[in-house]
Amino acid sequence: LVGHSMGAAQAMQAVSLAPQRYAAAAALGGSGTIRPSEPLKKLPFFIAVGKQDFALSGARGLRDRLTKAGVERVAYHEMPDVEHLGIVQQSLGEVFQFFEEIQKARGGKK
């Protein structure tokens, strides 16, 4: 599951409500609230934000909340000279690579 900006907040809400339904989640240029749980700890997260993005502090906060909740894998990337809209174009390749790594680690299961 991937979301950008307000979509990132929606994605975080969805994975918090039913983490077992997803293989991984990505938040680009955004954050959201999470509900810590045992299944959430197993869900890999990818967070990307530009250093010129107004959502920078929110993305950092999401990273910190996931870490505090005991999530085992949180990939966090701050991209220099990237603003809010540019983060999707700049990071989407990395998101797909992250998702492919997760899929391979799960034995190819989607």
Side-chain angles (χ1 to χ4, degrees), residues 74-109:
V74 179
Y76 179 80
H77 304 272
E78 284 185 14
M79 299 185 167
D81 302 319
V82 176
E83 47 73 51
H84 188 66
L85 296 177
I87 193 62
V88 175
Q89 180 181 0
Q90 294 297 316
S91 65
L92 207 51
E94 289 183 52
V95 171
F96 289 136
Q97 183 178 10
F98 181 79
F99 285 172
E100 287 174 8
E101 289 172 14
I102 300 305
Q103 185 176 2
K104 286 179 186 175
R106 293 172 48 121
K109 297 176 187 174

mmCIF file of all heavy atoms in Angstrom, residues 74-109:
data_model
loop_
_atom_site.group_PDB
_atom_site.id
_atom_site.type_symbol
_atom_site.label_atom_id
_atom_site.label_comp_id
_atom_site.label_asym_id
_atom_site.label_seq_id
_atom_site.Cartn_x
_atom_site.Cartn_y
_atom_site.Cartn_z
ATOM 1 N N VAL A 74 11.794 -0.282 9.176
ATOM 2 C CA VAL A 74 11.371 1.051 8.755
ATOM 3 C C VAL A 74 12.492 1.635 7.907
ATOM 4 O O VAL A 74 13.569 1.932 8.412
ATOM 5 C CB VAL A 74 11.078 1.981 9.951
ATOM 6 C CG1 VAL A 74 10.667 3.365 9.465
ATOM 7 C CG2 VAL A 74 10.017 1.392 10.862
ATOM 8 N N ALA A 75 12.251 1.748 6.608
ATOM 9 C CA ALA A 75 13.221 2.369 5.697
ATOM 10 C C ALA A 75 12.823 3.834 5.568
ATOM 11 O O ALA A 75 11.709 4.151 5.152
ATOM 12 C CB ALA A 75 13.192 1.681 4.338
ATOM 13 N N TYR A 76 13.723 4.725 5.946
ATOM 14 C CA TYR A 76 13.421 6.160 5.952
ATOM 15 C C TYR A 76 14.433 6.885 5.066
ATOM 16 O O TYR A 76 15.633 6.686 5.201
ATOM 17 C CB TYR A 76 13.488 6.693 7.386
ATOM 18 C CG TYR A 76 13.222 8.167 7.473
ATOM 19 C CD1 TYR A 76 11.922 8.655 7.443
ATOM 20 C CD2 TYR A 76 14.264 9.077 7.567
ATOM 21 C CE1 TYR A 76 11.664 10.014 7.505
ATOM 22 C CE2 TYR A 76 14.018 10.437 7.635
ATOM 23 C CZ TYR A 76 12.717 10.902 7.606
ATOM 24 O OH TYR A 76 12.477 12.251 7.657
ATOM 25 N N HIS A 77 13.902 7.733 4.166
ATOM 26 C CA HIS A 77 14.760 8.460 3.235
ATOM 27 C C HIS A 77 14.358 9.931 3.184
ATOM 28 O O HIS A 77 13.193 10.239 2.924
ATOM 29 C CB HIS A 77 14.627 7.885 1.821
ATOM 30 C CG HIS A 77 14.922 6.428 1.746
ATOM 31 N ND1 HIS A 77 16.182 5.925 1.553
ATOM 32 C CD2 HIS A 77 14.111 5.351 1.874
ATOM 33 C CE1 HIS A 77 16.140 4.609 1.545
ATOM 34 N NE2 HIS A 77 14.891 4.229 1.750
ATOM 35 N N GLU A 78 15.329 10.810 3.435
ATOM 36 C CA GLU A 78 15.149 12.247 3.227
ATOM 37 C C GLU A 78 15.960 12.612 1.992
ATOM 38 O O GLU A 78 17.154 12.346 1.934
ATOM 39 C CB GLU A 78 15.652 13.046 4.419
ATOM 40 C CG GLU A 78 14.734 13.015 5.590
ATOM 41 C CD GLU A 78 15.182 13.918 6.743
ATOM 42 O OE1 GLU A 78 16.069 14.782 6.550
ATOM 43 O OE2 GLU A 78 14.629 13.758 7.840
ATOM 44 N N MET A 79 15.292 13.196 1.017
ATOM 45 C CA MET A 79 15.951 13.506 -0.246
ATOM 46 C C MET A 79 16.243 15.003 -0.349
ATOM 47 O O MET A 79 15.320 15.816 -0.234
ATOM 48 C CB MET A 79 15.094 13.038 -1.406
ATOM 49 C CG MET A 79 14.876 11.547 -1.387
ATOM 50 S SD MET A 79 13.999 10.982 -2.831
ATOM 51 C CE MET A 79 14.248 9.233 -2.685
ATOM 52 N N PRO A 80 17.508 15.355 -0.559
ATOM 53 C CA PRO A 80 17.863 16.773 -0.646
ATOM 54 C C PRO A 80 17.259 17.423 -1.885
ATOM 55 O O PRO A 80 17.050 16.763 -2.908
ATOM 56 C CB PRO A 80 19.392 16.754 -0.717
ATOM 57 C CG PRO A 80 19.741 15.396 -1.216
ATOM 58 C CD PRO A 80 18.642 14.479 -0.754
ATOM 59 N N ASP A 81 16.949 18.692 -1.765
ATOM 60 C CA ASP A 81 16.449 19.497 -2.890
ATOM 61 C C ASP A 81 15.167 18.951 -3.507
ATOM 62 O O ASP A 81 14.925 19.130 -4.696
ATOM 63 C CB ASP A 81 17.527 19.652 -3.971
ATOM 64 C CG ASP A 81 18.792 20.286 -3.423
ATOM 65 O OD1 ASP A 81 18.680 21.234 -2.626
ATOM 66 O OD2 ASP A 81 19.895 19.828 -3.773
ATOM 67 N N VAL A 82 14.357 18.263 -2.730
ATOM 68 C CA VAL A 82 13.086 17.732 -3.221
ATOM 69 C C VAL A 82 11.969 18.334 -2.380
ATOM 70 O O VAL A 82 12.064 18.389 -1.159
ATOM 71 C CB VAL A 82 13.046 16.188 -3.139
ATOM 72 C CG1 VAL A 82 11.692 15.645 -3.563
ATOM 73 C CG2 VAL A 82 14.147 15.583 -3.990
ATOM 74 N N GLU A 83 10.916 18.782 -3.073
ATOM 75 C CA GLU A 83 9.776 19.363 -2.374
ATOM 76 C C GLU A 83 8.617 18.375 -2.369
ATOM 77 O O GLU A 83 8.766 17.233 -2.755
ATOM 78 C CB GLU A 83 9.391 20.719 -2.978
ATOM 79 C CG GLU A 83 9.286 20.748 -4.506
ATOM 80 C CD GLU A 83 8.075 20.054 -5.063
ATOM 81 O OE1 GLU A 83 6.947 20.322 -4.612
ATOM 82 O OE2 GLU A 83 8.237 19.233 -5.962
ATOM 83 N N HIS A 84 7.458 18.834 -1.944
ATOM 84 C CA HIS A 84 6.325 17.957 -1.668
ATOM 85 C C HIS A 84 5.849 17.158 -2.885
ATOM 86 O O HIS A 84 5.620 15.959 -2.786
ATOM 87 C CB HIS A 84 5.170 18.786 -1.094
ATOM 88 C CG HIS A 84 4.034 17.974 -0.590
ATOM 89 N ND1 HIS A 84 4.147 17.134 0.505
ATOM 90 C CD2 HIS A 84 2.755 17.860 -1.011
ATOM 91 C CE1 HIS A 84 2.985 16.546 0.727
ATOM 92 N NE2 HIS A 84 2.123 16.967 -0.178
ATOM 93 N N LEU A 85 5.666 17.795 -4.008
ATOM 94 C CA LEU A 85 5.166 17.082 -5.186
ATOM 95 C C LEU A 85 6.248 16.243 -5.856
ATOM 96 O O LEU A 85 5.959 15.203 -6.444
ATOM 97 C CB LEU A 85 4.554 18.057 -6.183
ATOM 98 C CG LEU A 85 3.308 18.795 -5.683
ATOM 99 C CD1 LEU A 85 2.828 19.795 -6.726
ATOM 100 C CD2 LEU A 85 2.201 17.826 -5.315
ATOM 101 N N GLY A 86 7.480 16.672 -5.758
ATOM 102 C CA GLY A 86 8.575 15.956 -6.408
ATOM 103 C C GLY A 86 8.944 14.645 -5.748
ATOM 104 O O GLY A 86 9.597 13.793 -6.370
ATOM 105 N N ILE A 87 8.518 14.439 -4.508
ATOM 106 C CA ILE A 87 8.931 13.224 -3.795
ATOM 107 C C ILE A 87 8.407 11.962 -4.459
ATOM 108 O O ILE A 87 9.065 10.919 -4.447
ATOM 109 C CB ILE A 87 8.544 13.293 -2.301
ATOM 110 C CG1 ILE A 87 9.247 12.178 -1.513
ATOM 111 C CG2 ILE A 87 7.047 13.219 -2.102
ATOM 112 C CD1 ILE A 87 10.748 12.259 -1.514
ATOM 113 N N VAL A 88 7.235 12.033 -5.059
ATOM 114 C CA VAL A 88 6.682 10.840 -5.713
ATOM 115 C C VAL A 88 7.587 10.424 -6.868
ATOM 116 O O VAL A 88 8.027 9.274 -6.943
ATOM 117 C CB VAL A 88 5.239 11.084 -6.200
ATOM 118 C CG1 VAL A 88 4.732 9.884 -6.986
ATOM 119 C CG2 VAL A 88 4.331 11.378 -5.024
ATOM 120 N N GLN A 89 7.892 11.347 -7.742
ATOM 121 C CA GLN A 89 8.740 11.050 -8.894
ATOM 122 C C GLN A 89 10.129 10.592 -8.449
ATOM 123 O O GLN A 89 10.687 9.654 -9.014
ATOM 124 C CB GLN A 89 8.868 12.272 -9.790
ATOM 125 C CG GLN A 89 9.729 12.045 -11.009
ATOM 126 C CD GLN A 89 9.847 13.301 -11.864
ATOM 127 O OE1 GLN A 89 9.296 14.346 -11.549
ATOM 128 N NE2 GLN A 89 10.574 13.197 -12.939
ATOM 129 N N GLN A 90 10.660 11.221 -7.432
ATOM 130 C CA GLN A 90 12.021 10.905 -6.995
ATOM 131 C C GLN A 90 12.132 9.581 -6.237
ATOM 132 O O GLN A 90 13.196 8.970 -6.225
ATOM 133 C CB GLN A 90 12.559 12.038 -6.106
ATOM 134 C CG GLN A 90 12.749 13.336 -6.841
ATOM 135 C CD GLN A 90 13.785 13.234 -7.942
ATOM 136 O OE1 GLN A 90 14.860 12.653 -7.758
ATOM 137 N NE2 GLN A 90 13.476 13.779 -9.097
ATOM 138 N N SER A 91 11.067 9.136 -5.611
ATOM 139 C CA SER A 91 11.187 7.963 -4.739
ATOM 140 C C SER A 91 10.434 6.727 -5.208
ATOM 141 O O SER A 91 10.640 5.640 -4.661
ATOM 142 C CB SER A 91 10.703 8.319 -3.328
ATOM 143 O OG SER A 91 9.323 8.614 -3.340
ATOM 144 N N LEU A 92 9.581 6.849 -6.205
ATOM 145 C CA LEU A 92 8.736 5.720 -6.577
ATOM 146 C C LEU A 92 9.534 4.490 -7.008
ATOM 147 O O LEU A 92 9.152 3.359 -6.686
ATOM 148 C CB LEU A 92 7.741 6.130 -7.660
ATOM 149 C CG LEU A 92 6.439 5.344 -7.704
ATOM 150 C CD1 LEU A 92 5.756 5.280 -6.352
ATOM 151 C CD2 LEU A 92 5.498 5.923 -8.740
ATOM 152 N N GLY A 93 10.648 4.687 -7.686
ATOM 153 C CA GLY A 93 11.500 3.553 -8.052
ATOM 154 C C GLY A 93 11.995 2.805 -6.826
ATOM 155 O O GLY A 93 12.005 1.567 -6.797
ATOM 156 N N GLU A 94 12.391 3.552 -5.795
ATOM 157 C CA GLU A 94 12.850 2.926 -4.555
ATOM 158 C C GLU A 94 11.709 2.201 -3.845
ATOM 159 O O GLU A 94 11.922 1.158 -3.222
ATOM 160 C CB GLU A 94 13.458 3.973 -3.626
ATOM 161 C CG GLU A 94 14.801 4.502 -4.096
ATOM 162 C CD GLU A 94 15.382 5.489 -3.107
ATOM 163 O OE1 GLU A 94 15.458 5.145 -1.911
ATOM 164 O OE2 GLU A 94 15.760 6.587 -3.542
ATOM 165 N N VAL A 95 10.508 2.775 -3.914
ATOM 166 C CA VAL A 95 9.343 2.124 -3.302
ATOM 167 C C VAL A 95 9.117 0.760 -3.942
ATOM 168 O O VAL A 95 8.968 -0.244 -3.252
ATOM 169 C CB VAL A 95 8.072 2.998 -3.432
ATOM 170 C CG1 VAL A 95 6.833 2.220 -2.993
ATOM 171 C CG2 VAL A 95 8.213 4.275 -2.629
ATOM 172 N N PHE A 96 9.105 0.725 -5.278
ATOM 173 C CA PHE A 96 8.881 -0.551 -5.964
ATOM 174 C C PHE A 96 9.999 -1.546 -5.681
ATOM 175 O O PHE A 96 9.743 -2.739 -5.517
ATOM 176 C CB PHE A 96 8.702 -0.340 -7.457
ATOM 177 C CG PHE A 96 7.402 0.327 -7.810
ATOM 178 C CD1 PHE A 96 7.366 1.349 -8.735
ATOM 179 C CD2 PHE A 96 6.212 -0.062 -7.225
ATOM 180 C CE1 PHE A 96 6.171 1.974 -9.066
ATOM 181 C CE2 PHE A 96 5.007 0.552 -7.538
ATOM 182 C CZ PHE A 96 4.993 1.569 -8.464
ATOM 183 N N GLN A 97 11.232 -1.077 -5.581
ATOM 184 C CA GLN A 97 12.349 -1.957 -5.243
ATOM 185 C C GLN A 97 12.157 -2.521 -3.824
ATOM 186 O O GLN A 97 12.365 -3.716 -3.587
ATOM 187 C CB GLN A 97 13.668 -1.204 -5.329
ATOM 188 C CG GLN A 97 14.874 -2.067 -5.058
ATOM 189 C CD GLN A 97 16.180 -1.289 -5.209
ATOM 190 O OE1 GLN A 97 16.192 -0.061 -5.342
ATOM 191 N NE2 GLN A 97 17.278 -1.998 -5.183
ATOM 192 N N PHE A 98 11.748 -1.683 -2.893
ATOM 193 C CA PHE A 98 11.473 -2.105 -1.523
ATOM 194 C C PHE A 98 10.373 -3.167 -1.500
ATOM 195 O O PHE A 98 10.517 -4.214 -0.864
ATOM 196 C CB PHE A 98 11.062 -0.872 -0.707
ATOM 197 C CG PHE A 98 10.769 -1.137 0.740
ATOM 198 C CD1 PHE A 98 11.789 -1.296 1.666
ATOM 199 C CD2 PHE A 98 9.460 -1.202 1.199
ATOM 200 C CE1 PHE A 98 11.521 -1.517 3.008
ATOM 201 C CE2 PHE A 98 9.170 -1.425 2.543
ATOM 202 C CZ PHE A 98 10.213 -1.581 3.441
ATOM 203 N N PHE A 99 9.296 -2.912 -2.228
ATOM 204 C CA PHE A 99 8.193 -3.868 -2.283
ATOM 205 C C PHE A 99 8.649 -5.197 -2.901
ATOM 206 O O PHE A 99 8.243 -6.267 -2.441
ATOM 207 C CB PHE A 99 7.012 -3.303 -3.068
ATOM 208 C CG PHE A 99 6.205 -2.258 -2.352
ATOM 209 C CD1 PHE A 99 5.230 -1.561 -3.028
ATOM 210 C CD2 PHE A 99 6.411 -1.954 -1.015
ATOM 211 C CE1 PHE A 99 4.456 -0.594 -2.379
ATOM 212 C CE2 PHE A 99 5.659 -0.992 -0.354
ATOM 213 C CZ PHE A 99 4.671 -0.319 -1.045
ATOM 214 N N GLU A 100 9.484 -5.146 -3.927
ATOM 215 C CA GLU A 100 9.991 -6.379 -4.539
ATOM 216 C C GLU A 100 10.854 -7.168 -3.560
ATOM 217 O O GLU A 100 10.777 -8.396 -3.516
ATOM 218 C CB GLU A 100 10.770 -6.054 -5.813
ATOM 219 C CG GLU A 100 9.875 -5.636 -6.963
ATOM 220 C CD GLU A 100 10.653 -5.180 -8.186
ATOM 221 O OE1 GLU A 100 11.897 -5.313 -8.218
ATOM 222 O OE2 GLU A 100 10.002 -4.671 -9.120
ATOM 223 N N GLU A 101 11.670 -6.475 -2.769
ATOM 224 C CA GLU A 101 12.487 -7.151 -1.756
ATOM 225 C C GLU A 101 11.603 -7.853 -0.734
ATOM 226 O O GLU A 101 11.890 -8.987 -0.338
ATOM 227 C CB GLU A 101 13.381 -6.142 -1.036
ATOM 228 C CG GLU A 101 14.507 -5.592 -1.869
ATOM 229 C CD GLU A 101 15.245 -4.461 -1.169
ATOM 230 O OE1 GLU A 101 15.064 -4.274 0.057
ATOM 231 O OE2 GLU A 101 15.996 -3.752 -1.849
ATOM 232 N N ILE A 102 10.533 -7.191 -0.329
ATOM 233 C CA ILE A 102 9.609 -7.786 0.635
ATOM 234 C C ILE A 102 8.947 -9.016 0.024
ATOM 235 O O ILE A 102 8.838 -10.068 0.664
ATOM 236 C CB ILE A 102 8.533 -6.761 1.075
ATOM 237 C CG1 ILE A 102 9.166 -5.532 1.727
ATOM 238 C CG2 ILE A 102 7.498 -7.413 1.988
ATOM 239 C CD1 ILE A 102 10.077 -5.803 2.896
ATOM 240 N N GLN A 103 8.530 -8.899 -1.224
ATOM 241 C CA GLN A 103 7.878 -10.025 -1.892
ATOM 242 C C GLN A 103 8.826 -11.215 -2.007
ATOM 243 O O GLN A 103 8.432 -12.348 -1.757
ATOM 244 C CB GLN A 103 7.387 -9.609 -3.283
ATOM 245 C CG GLN A 103 6.599 -10.699 -3.974
ATOM 246 C CD GLN A 103 6.035 -10.248 -5.316
ATOM 247 O OE1 GLN A 103 6.260 -9.124 -5.750
ATOM 248 N NE2 GLN A 103 5.327 -11.131 -5.959
ATOM 249 N N LYS A 104 10.071 -10.972 -2.362
ATOM 250 C CA LYS A 104 11.054 -12.057 -2.449
ATOM 251 C C LYS A 104 11.279 -12.708 -1.091
ATOM 252 O O LYS A 104 11.392 -13.919 -0.988
ATOM 253 C CB LYS A 104 12.367 -11.542 -3.024
ATOM 254 C CG LYS A 104 12.303 -11.276 -4.515
ATOM 255 C CD LYS A 104 13.621 -10.741 -5.014
ATOM 256 C CE LYS A 104 13.500 -10.342 -6.478
ATOM 257 N NZ LYS A 104 14.735 -9.702 -6.970
ATOM 258 N N ALA A 105 11.355 -11.891 -0.049
ATOM 259 C CA ALA A 105 11.575 -12.413 1.297
ATOM 260 C C ALA A 105 10.394 -13.263 1.759
ATOM 261 O O ALA A 105 10.564 -14.194 2.560
ATOM 262 C CB ALA A 105 11.805 -11.265 2.273
ATOM 263 N N ARG A 106 9.216 -12.980 1.223
ATOM 264 C CA ARG A 106 8.016 -13.764 1.558
ATOM 265 C C ARG A 106 7.870 -14.976 0.640
ATOM 266 O O ARG A 106 6.835 -15.625 0.633
ATOM 267 C CB ARG A 106 6.776 -12.890 1.445
ATOM 268 C CG ARG A 106 6.698 -11.787 2.470
ATOM 269 C CD ARG A 106 5.555 -10.840 2.182
ATOM 270 N NE ARG A 106 4.315 -11.558 1.912
ATOM 271 C CZ ARG A 106 3.194 -11.434 2.598
ATOM 272 N NH1 ARG A 106 3.136 -10.580 3.567
ATOM 273 N NH2 ARG A 106 2.107 -12.104 2.266
ATOM 274 N N GLY A 107 8.880 -15.250 -0.142
ATOM 275 C CA GLY A 107 8.829 -16.401 -1.030
ATOM 276 C C GLY A 107 8.013 -16.157 -2.275
ATOM 277 O O GLY A 107 7.452 -17.086 -2.851
ATOM 278 N N GLY A 108 7.902 -14.885 -2.692
ATOM 279 C CA GLY A 108 7.182 -14.549 -3.892
ATOM 280 C C GLY A 108 5.681 -14.372 -3.698
ATOM 281 O O GLY A 108 4.962 -14.091 -4.626
ATOM 282 N N LYS A 109 5.212 -14.538 -2.457
ATOM 283 C CA LYS A 109 3.779 -14.394 -2.175
ATOM 284 C C LYS A 109 3.395 -12.914 -2.184
ATOM 285 O O LYS A 109 4.111 -12.091 -1.655
ATOM 286 C CB LYS A 109 3.418 -14.982 -0.817
ATOM 287 C CG LYS A 109 3.667 -16.450 -0.713
ATOM 288 C CD LYS A 109 3.364 -16.929 0.685
ATOM 289 C CE LYS A 109 3.773 -18.377 0.872
ATOM 290 N NZ LYS A 109 3.609 -18.796 2.253
#
